[in-house]
Amino acid sequence: MQTNRPTRALAVPAALSLVLVLAACGKQAAVPTPPPVPEVGVITVEPKSTPLSIELVGDIRAFREVELRPRVTGVVERQMFRPGQMVREGDPLFLIDTRTLDSAVADAQARLLEAEAQLQRAQQDVERYKPLLVDDAIPRQTYDQAVAAQKQAQSLVESRREGVTRARIDRGFAEVRAPVTGQIGIQQVEIGGLATSGQTVLAVVSTLDPVLAYFSVSENEYLDYMRRIEVSRAAGRIAARAPIELLLADGSQYKHPGRFDLADRAINPQTGTLTLRAVFPNPEQLLRPGMTGRVRIVYDVADAAIVIPMKAVTELLGRQFVSVVGADGKVEQRAVTARERIGDEWLIQEGLKPGDTVVVEGVQKARPGATVRPVPVGSPAAPAAPVGAAKK
């Protein structure tokens, strides 16, 4: 009995280990879950007619902007407008102290009366001496002196009349009136302030419809633009006076197209640029002097052009690439040649063809040779398998 105890003690653990091994073999081995296929936003290349344009920074200015400067010196007595209101040409805006001017008018009138009295005496002398001259009752010299005195008195009267006219004109300048119809700004001299003739700016009046946009181009840009637009006009791709668009500071497009107005006569020697000007209607008075925007000028139209968003293009070592998804869902990195920029898009000259699927969102996920799940940009993600994926 004692000899069998050790054998039984060894058999129990061995049997237990055998049971555990058999139980483990009965279970199915766990299979690792593959990572999900990344989704990328794509567009399908579709050739289309695309206008070609250049964008230049422009400054908005009033069509007419006039500084109100008094033409007489005096203290500002009255202000006859509210800052910011619309005024019509000829409306009174400021009144300068008129007491000195009224005195000048009265003095000029008194001098005129004095000259007219002298003229009257001279005319009486001529009329009295003339019949006496016939009978040689007076010397000829006396008559000639009377005639000369009459002419001198006549010229003095004319001079004094001009003096009265000038004094009245100066009196009229005491009322500063609107030179144009437009909007007046904030007054720059308060009531009681001294205004100096021809120097002090009282306020500024601006016309707001239409407005002007000034912009500049370099000499090379100007030459290139003129050559291109000449070719496109000769081919009939754009009109002789193509409209000009204006992009505002917030990126929105101004709804009223403008027109080219003029080019400066010469290149600025300091900056090497040529100043151009466009006119834009402004019936809602949205545009204000001092604003900035981007002027877009269409100079040609490209037929069957391939245009893709700029964010789809990556640059590496001076070359440009895009990620193209093939029919099997795999990514191919393809070299392209971007011809020129159109807003936030590139016009592709080489490297893409109609029907290509280009990655525009999630470009960092689209590694060459990787399998991706293309989702058209602007549509909700669909649960469908990638293009060309094998059926399970």
Side-chain angles (χ1 to χ4, degrees), residues 108 112 115 153-166:
L112 174 60
Q154 182 66 44
S155 64
L156 182 61
V157 168
E158 296 297 331
S159 176
R160 297 290 171 80
R161 283 177 180 168
E162 288 299 322
V164 172
T165 302
R166 286 195 301 270

Side-chain angles (χ1 to χ4, degrees), residues 207-228:
T207 60
L208 299 179
D209 186 20
V211 295
L212 303 175
Y214 286 84
F215 50 100
S216 299
V217 295
S218 67
E219 185 175 352
N220 290 336
E221 289 174 334
Y222 170 73
L223 294 174
D224 182 62
Y225 166 73
M226 293 304 296
R227 292 191 186 101
R228 290 189 178 191

Side-chain angles (χ1 to χ4, degrees), residues 33-319:
T33 304
V37 177
E39 292 183 354
V40 293
V42 299
I43 60 170
T44 301
V45 173
E46 297 178 357
K48 59 183 179 180
S49 178
T50 303
L52 306 181
S53 61
I54 57 174
E55 292 185 7
L56 303 166
V57 177
D59 298 325
I60 306 300
R61 304 182 192 176
F63 191 83
R64 294 183 65 187
E65 188 168 277
V66 183
E67 294 180 340
L68 300 179
R69 299 176 185 266
R71 301 179 68 174
V72 293
T73 298
V75 175
V76 178
E77 283 192 338
R78 292 177 59 191
Q79 175 183 313
M80 294 167 279
F81 66 92
R82 289 180 295 100
Q85 79 174 61
M86 299 299 297
V87 296
R88 293 184 176 276
E89 182 177 355
D91 287 350
L93 303 176
F94 292 94
L95 179 63
I96 308 296
D97 184 7
T98 62
R99 288 176 295 180
T100 303
L101 301 173
D102 291 337
S103 177
V105 172
D107 181 68
Q109 290 175 336
R111 290 176 178 272
L112 174 60
L113 291 175
E114 180 183 6
E116 289 175 342
Q118 293 178 5
L119 175 61
Q120 186 177 5
R121 288 194 299 269
Q123 289 174 341
Q124 290 174 351
D125 290 341
V126 172
E127 291 173 359
R128 185 171 62 253
Y129 292 156
K130 188 173 184 179
L132 297 176
L133 183 64
V134 177
D135 298 333
D136 293 331
I138 60 171
R140 180 74 183 186
Q141 182 180 3
T142 302
Y143 176 77
D144 292 342
Q145 289 176 349
V147 172
Q150 179 191 14
K151 292 181 179 179
Q152 184 178 4
Q154 182 66 44
S155 64
L156 182 61
V157 168
E158 296 297 331
S159 176
R160 297 290 171 80
R161 283 177 180 168
E162 288 299 322
V164 172
T165 302
R166 286 195 301 270
R168 288 175 176 171
I169 290 175
D170 289 342
R171 171 60 179 82
F173 287 153
E175 291 185 354
V176 181
R177 298 179 177 272
V180 294
T181 298
Q183 186 177 29
I184 190 168
I186 300 173
Q187 74 277 10
Q188 300 185 28
V189 177
E190 298 294 340
I191 297 175
L194 178 63
T196 304
S197 174
Q199 298 183 15
T200 305
V201 178
L202 301 175
V204 179
V205 179
S206 302
T207 60
L208 299 179
D209 186 20
V211 295
L212 303 175
Y214 286 84
F215 50 100
S216 299
V217 295
S218 67
E219 185 175 352
N220 290 336
E221 289 174 334
Y222 170 73
L223 294 174
D224 182 62
Y225 166 73
M226 293 304 296
R227 292 191 186 101
R228 290 189 178 191
I229 201 170
E230 182 179 357
V231 172
S232 60
R233 284 177 178 173
R237 292 193 292 267
I238 64 171
R241 296 182 65 88
I244 299 177
E245 299 174 353
L246 179 64
L247 304 178
L248 303 179
D250 61 356
S252 63
Q253 181 175 334
Y254 185 57
K255 66 179 180 179
H256 298 291
R259 58 178 177 82
F260 179 76
D261 186 36
L262 62 86
D264 200 0
R265 66 172 187 84
I267 298 290
N268 187 317
Q270 281 75 34
T271 62
T273 59
L274 179 68
T275 300
L276 308 176
R277 190 174 80 177
V279 180
F280 289 88
N282 191 29
E284 298 87 5
Q285 297 183 4
L286 175 65
L287 302 180
R288 296 284 173 162
M291 296 176 65
T292 59
R294 288 179 294 151
V295 178
R296 179 185 293 166
I297 305 174
V298 177
Y299 61 84
D300 202 351
V301 177
D303 296 327
I306 295 178
V307 180
I308 62 174
M310 294 184 65
K311 60 184 179 181
V313 181
T314 57
E315 292 191 11
L316 180 62
L317 300 177
R319 301 182 63 189

